[in-house]
Amino acid sequence: MDLGAVISTIPSTLRLLSNLKAEPLPDIPILAVKVKVTWCCNLSCIFCSLPEPRLTMARDTALKLGRELSAQGLRKVHFSGGEILTHPECFDILSDWARLGVQVNLTSNGFLMDKEQIKRLEDAGVHSVSLSIDSADRKVHDRLRGRKGSYKAVIRAAARIAARGRMKLRVNTVVTSFNIAKLPELRDLICGLGAGISWKLIPVDPIREGLLPSASVLEDTAVMVRHWPELEDNAPFGTTEEEFREVAAGRHGFRPGFCYVPWFNLFFAPDGACYPCCMARGQMAPLGLYPGDTVRKIVSGRPLSAFRSLIASGAKHEACSYCDDFLAENRTIADIVSHRTFVT
């Protein structure tokens, strides 16, 4: 679901978004959420640092959250972890939310996604699956993901999902110094799986030394990928020397422009801690702790109001320095708002 396109069809929401600097606290429904149902993971990716792995969100808590959000206008949920398929109730949670009329998407490393699991995902009503594929070279992928056999498993899962055609397939690639030179080979592999697969290149976070590509390598790569139509973002590393240097330093929030995300999105961790977005976790205190704090209390509470007021003023939170998400949605909304093309 293209949230930018969805918002463009809601004149009342567009009108409020166009006036955020003057009125930063409008009543806009939460249209999208990201929910981490577990921190448990079956891989040990070298660029990942997960919190307490034993934390999981129970099915009844997840269902209560879904009901509250859907009653207030939610359109889309994206589930992930950790690895979502390690959650003992994951298929029940997915089907619960799908029955609420919400579009259900998820991210997985694909290691556990055999024929039976894929069919269960389809039957649960999952709309799209994002699989993590970091290289067309088995050894490189397995090294990055920290487990032998991870490449074979995810490629098999991707091929099956693409062949069956019941769920939309997306591919996420974390771009590091170890795999950036071989992106053309990975592109050939992804395109060979079939038409209609979208691909997202994600600059690596500075978790440890040696992962970040140099600015010059990023610049050369940016020129190469600029015309790859399957990419969700054709400028994932920026377009200027300054932006390449920022990404090479692990700071991805270089895009100019306004971020509308705090007004239509929320992020929930397995323990119920809620943040404006996934990048804010660890960078600020939670907005609330669900289910002790209801969705309505979180949305109308002082912490979210303060965060929205900060962003509306044109300032950026520290978390924004590392964010490379919601780029398409922000561009779409900004374009419509700036041209005042919405119906009054």
Side-chain angles (χ1 to χ4, degrees), residues 159 162 185-195 197:
E185 289 86 345
L186 181 54
R187 183 195 183 204
D188 290 341
L189 185 153
I190 293 170
C191 292
L193 292 171
I197 300 173

Side-chain angles (χ1 to χ4, degrees), residues 215-326:
S216 60
V217 170
L218 288 168
E219 182 174 5
D220 292 342
T221 306
V223 173
M224 177 177 62
V225 307
R226 189 173 299 158
H227 302 294
W228 290 0
E230 57 279 348
L231 288 180
E232 293 184 4
D233 177 17
N234 290 100
F237 317 118
T239 58
T240 68
E241 290 185 5
E242 181 180 356
E243 291 171 350
F244 300 140
R245 286 194 296 269
E246 285 289 290
V247 176
R251 297 185 293 269
H252 312 145
F254 55 81
R255 274 90 172 174
F258 190 83
C259 181
Y260 297 92
V261 174
W263 285 270
F264 64 79
N265 176 80
L266 288 175
F267 168 88
F268 289 88
D271 62 354
C274 178
Y275 301 88
C277 63
C278 58
M279 297 307 301
R281 186 189 65 81
Q283 300 289 336
M284 61 181 290
L287 305 174
L289 192 62
Y290 189 86
D293 296 313
T294 65
V295 170
R296 189 168 297 280
K297 180 179 179 181
I298 291 171
V299 171
S300 61
R302 183 174 298 176
L304 182 55
S305 296
F307 186 83
R308 286 174 169 174
S309 295
L310 173 71
I311 302 302
S313 73
K316 288 191 175 184
H317 190 275
E318 176 63 22
C320 303
S321 300
Y322 306 99
C323 184
D324 56 2
D325 211 351
F326 292 102

Side-chain angles (χ1 to χ4, degrees), residues 161-174:
I161 292 172
R164 293 172 68 86
R166 290 182 60 187
M167 299 182 293
K168 179 177 174 56
L169 176 61
R170 302 170 70 226
V171 173
N172 293 334
T173 298
V174 179

Side-chain angles (χ1 to χ4, degrees), residues 11-21 23 26-28 342:
S12 58
T13 296
L14 279 172
R15 191 178 304 110
L16 293 172
L17 290 174
S18 70
N19 195 40
L20 289 177
K21 290 186 177 181
E23 177 47 65
D27 185 14
I28 295 176
F342 54 89

